[in-house]
Amino acid sequence: MKQQVDPKAPGGTKWRGAVGGVLAALAGLAVGSVVAGFLGTAQTPVTAIGSAFIDRVPPWLKDLAISWFGTHDKTALRVGILIVVGVLAAVGGILAVRRYWAGALITVALTAAAIAAAITRADSGQTGFLPSLLAGATALIVLRLFSRRLEPLVDAPDDGVSRRGFLQLSAGVALGSAAVGLLGRVANGSRAAVADARAALRLPQPPSLAPPAGVQADGAVPWVTANADFYRIDTALSVPQIVPSDWKLRIHGMVDRELELTFDDLLKRQVVHKWVTLTCVSNEVGGNLIGNALWSGVLLKDLLEEVGPAKNADAIQSTSKDGFTAGTPLPTLLDDRQAMLAYAMNGQPLPVEHGFPVRIVVPGLYGYVSATKWLVDIEVTRFDQFQGYWTPRGWSELGPIKLSSRIDVPGGKKVAPGPVTVAGVAWDQNVGVSKVEVRVDGGPWQQATLAADASIETWRQWHWTWQASGGTHVLQVRAFDDKGNPQVESSAPPAPNGATGLHTVSVKVG
Ligand SMILES: Nc1nc2c(c(=O)[nH]1)N[C@H]1C(S)=C(S)[C@@H](COP(=O)(O)O)O[C@H]1N2
Ligand SMILES: [Mo]
């Protein structure tokens, strides 16, 4: 068989060194995840670095990532980290052929970064640094094995014994890493335990899962967003795994009586089922970071009245298992919008990515200031005493959802001339939508037909029939609130408190 690369060429040890470096990193990462699995911590080296990165990323970059990758932003981040680690490891491998310590230094630096990232995580616990430490140690040992095998080839490129040794070592490390990786999957029992516990839960069922009559407009997205289609936004690179029997919620702070609740305590309380449309502050005009579901749970108002907030308290700080926090104005939890601790979504236990077993849902507020998933703690406090996760990162302390509207059809496809259905959604949670208008090519605004209103806490669908003529046309939509005020027409980006502007789509007719 013809050799791909002439081992006598000057680069002969180069690519072998690079392969050795990458395999050393791979072996390290495999050991890191298996150790994390056995310890039951989320902090594999890649997760630790990625999570620390997410916490430090400037808002504009986060927006860019969401607009490029949508809800695949986390996969993109993992792939990005692996590429960077792979390139650095390859360079380290090449250096290590001649001088082991030069290459090893890169491994040490990467390991130090992962350990530093891991110990700063809220859910790291006592052992969160161990996966990264052992990953680094493994990578250093494997790198040394490779540099030993490759050293003789620098001066004697035709040394067949060393070449064979390199191939054997590569195959051995690759197989070993795969085996360890497989073991890691098995060791990751917490995921399986949570999945089993979730499947076994029997929760109070809503009288019906069907949407109220008449709320669906032809052509608009489904009025109920299926759980599998619901947008997901959070900082959790590895989704917190909580078994309901381990779950506890402490409500404390500026209160007369602290309260501690177990999941069973929660189930014993009066259940409320409520349609609420959730929206992310990062949603661009026309974007899809919005979804509507039937939430089931317990009213926060009842729980807060039981603990008795102090007169001068004005907020709660809710905390997630993984350290995310939100600051929510106390009045929005006590008024009649029915903010709740939700445990079910569309009749199912919360999907793990959507906060299992318990999250907060507050109609009318963007998720970042209210909708804490994997909820474990509520402190009654004052806004002058704390800041929620996103506030020091350039987002407003308060985040009421802005009146907005979106065109769902026609989308990108060419349409035939004649009557064309234009349809979409409009929302102003906890306020209500009274009117929607559409215009073509900047012409006069035309009134659209509104579908039935389920409640002011949900989006409202609309449609309009357009007599389309040939050519390219521009459609725009605007909504009005309950008092007849139109939505803000001037364009603003999502940061710091929600995008404004008119959704504008260009349509080819012919
Ligand atoms: N624990 C936790 N909860 C969180 C977040 C988070 O990063 N961590 N993000 C919030 C944001 S910004 C939004 S928009 C909603 C999204 O909820 P969803 O993923 O169920 O759609 O969750 C909120 N709850
Ligand atoms: Mo969000």
Side-chain angles (χ1 to χ4, degrees):
M1 204 172 84
K2 198 170 166 281
Q3 283 245 266
Q4 289 270 313
V5 177
D6 182 0
K8 282 179 195 130
T13 53
K14 243 190 203 160
W15 70 263
R16 288 193 171 89
V19 168
V22 170
L23 283 173
L26 221 60
L29 292 177
V31 166
S33 31
V34 85
V35 172
F38 276 117
L39 293 175
T41 166
Q43 305 307 323
T44 67
V46 173
T47 298
I49 291 178
S51 306
F53 182 81
I54 290 173
D55 285 354
R56 282 167 189 78
V57 73
W60 61 266
L61 190 55
K62 178 205 150 214
D63 289 345
L64 196 67
I66 290 177
S67 70
W68 280 1
F69 304 114
T71 48
H72 298 298
D73 55 342
K74 291 185 182 69
T75 312
L77 178 58
R78 276 181 191 283
V79 170
I81 291 171
L82 287 176
I83 289 173
V84 171
V85 168
V87 169
L88 290 174
V91 171
I94 293 170
L95 293 174
V97 175
R98 277 163 202 274
R99 257 178 293 150
Y100 171 67
W101 276 107
L105 218 56
I106 292 186
T107 309
V108 170
L110 281 171
T111 306
I115 290 175
I119 56 183
T120 54
R121 306 300 309 154
D123 53 347
S124 168
Q126 306 267 294
T127 55
F129 70 97
L130 265 179
S132 296
L133 183 67
L134 296 177
T138 306
L140 284 174
I141 292 169
V142 175
L143 189 67
R144 182 71 193 121
L145 296 178
F146 271 105
S147 78
R148 280 243 188 95
R149 281 280 195 288
L150 293 174
E151 251 167 11
L153 286 175
V154 174
D155 300 321
D158 49 359
D159 176 352
V161 176
S162 298
R163 285 204 331 255
R164 228 168 300 124
F166 164 76
L167 277 181
Q168 281 165 357
L169 181 60
S170 301
V173 171
L175 277 176
S177 305
V180 168
L182 220 62
L183 192 66
R185 299 234 157 233
V186 179
N188 199 345
S190 67
R191 244 164 246 276
V194 169
D196 289 349
R198 182 174 175 272
L201 273 186
R202 294 291 166 268
L203 301 176
Q205 283 300 300
S208 163
L209 291 170
V215 293
Q216 182 70 49
D218 257 3
V221 293
W223 188 81
V224 183
T225 313
N227 289 357
D229 299 334
F230 210 95
Y231 81 92
R232 173 190 164 200
I233 291 289
D234 54 62
T235 60
L237 198 51
S238 161
V239 178
Q241 303 288 329
I242 308 173
V243 182
S245 55
D246 289 345
W247 183 82
K248 271 204 188 78
L249 173 69
R250 198 160 82 93
I251 308 181
H252 61 107
M254 299 170 65
V255 297
D256 293 339
R257 294 160 293 276
E258 276 191 29
L259 185 63
E260 197 169 86
L261 286 168
T262 64
F263 195 73
D264 278 340
D265 295 338
L266 211 57
L267 293 192
K268 284 191 199 117
R269 289 172 177 259
Q270 176 66 48
V271 60
V272 171
H273 307 283
K274 191 176 170 77
W275 293 103
V276 178
T277 301
L278 225 61
T279 311
C280 181
V281 70
S282 296
N283 196 38
E284 301 276 354
V285 172
N288 55 11
L289 300 181
I290 177 166
N292 184 47
L294 182 57
W295 305 93
S296 309
V298 170
L299 288 187
L300 267 162
K301 181 171 192 264
D302 295 347
L303 296 171
L304 287 168
E305 279 170 358
E306 238 172 89
V307 298
K311 283 219 165 49
N312 57 341
D314 63 8
I316 65 160
Q317 179 178 29
S318 56
T319 306
S320 150
K321 164 93 168 157
D322 66 347
F324 169 88
T325 57
T328 313
L330 207 45
T332 65
L333 308 172
L334 298 172
D335 66 18
D336 54 12
R337 75 182 72 194
Q338 297 190 300
M340 63 162 105
L341 292 188
Y343 48 67
M345 182 177 182
N346 291 325
Q348 300 291 319
L350 288 182
V352 180
E353 319 79 72
H354 291 289
F356 184 78
V358 180
R359 75 175 307 168
I360 297 181
V361 172
V362 184
L365 301 186
Y366 287 123
Y368 82 108
V369 288
S370 64
T372 302
K373 305 191 272 188
W374 314 291
L375 176 73
V376 294
D377 189 273
I378 291 179
E379 181 180 354
V380 177
T381 176
R382 299 178 47 85
F383 276 114
D384 59 19
Q385 299 294 310
F386 78 107
Q387 289 189 313
Y389 181 91
W390 285 110
T391 308
R393 292 170 171 83
W395 297 80
S396 301
E397 185 159 78
L398 302 180
I401 295 174
K402 292 180 181 174
L403 170 62
S404 194
S405 53
R406 184 182 77 193
I407 299 170
D408 291 338
V409 285
K413 272 182 272 156
K414 197 170 187 180
V415 299
V420 170
T421 298
V422 181
V425 288
W427 61 92
D428 198 2
Q429 292 93 318
N430 200 43
V431 175
V433 171
S434 62
K435 185 168 73 167
V436 168
E437 293 178 340
V438 181
R439 75 177 170 193
V440 184
D441 299 328
W445 287 105
Q446 320 261 350
Q447 194 159 338
T449 306
L450 290 176
D453 203 5
S455 83
I456 59 171
E457 316 300 5
T458 57
W459 55 15
R460 188 150 191 201
Q461 304 205 327
W462 55 268
H463 70 98
W464 179 69
T465 305
W466 171 33
Q467 297 301 330
S469 56
T472 299
H473 299 284
V474 172
L475 296 175
Q476 287 181 303
V477 63
R478 68 173 179 185
F480 294 76
D481 71 11
D482 64 327
K483 302 211 167 54
N485 304 305
Q487 72 180 79
V488 174
E489 296 195 10
S490 60
S491 290
N497 54 24
T500 60
L502 300 183
H503 189 208
T504 303
V505 298
S506 159
V507 188
K508 280 205 178 76
V509 183

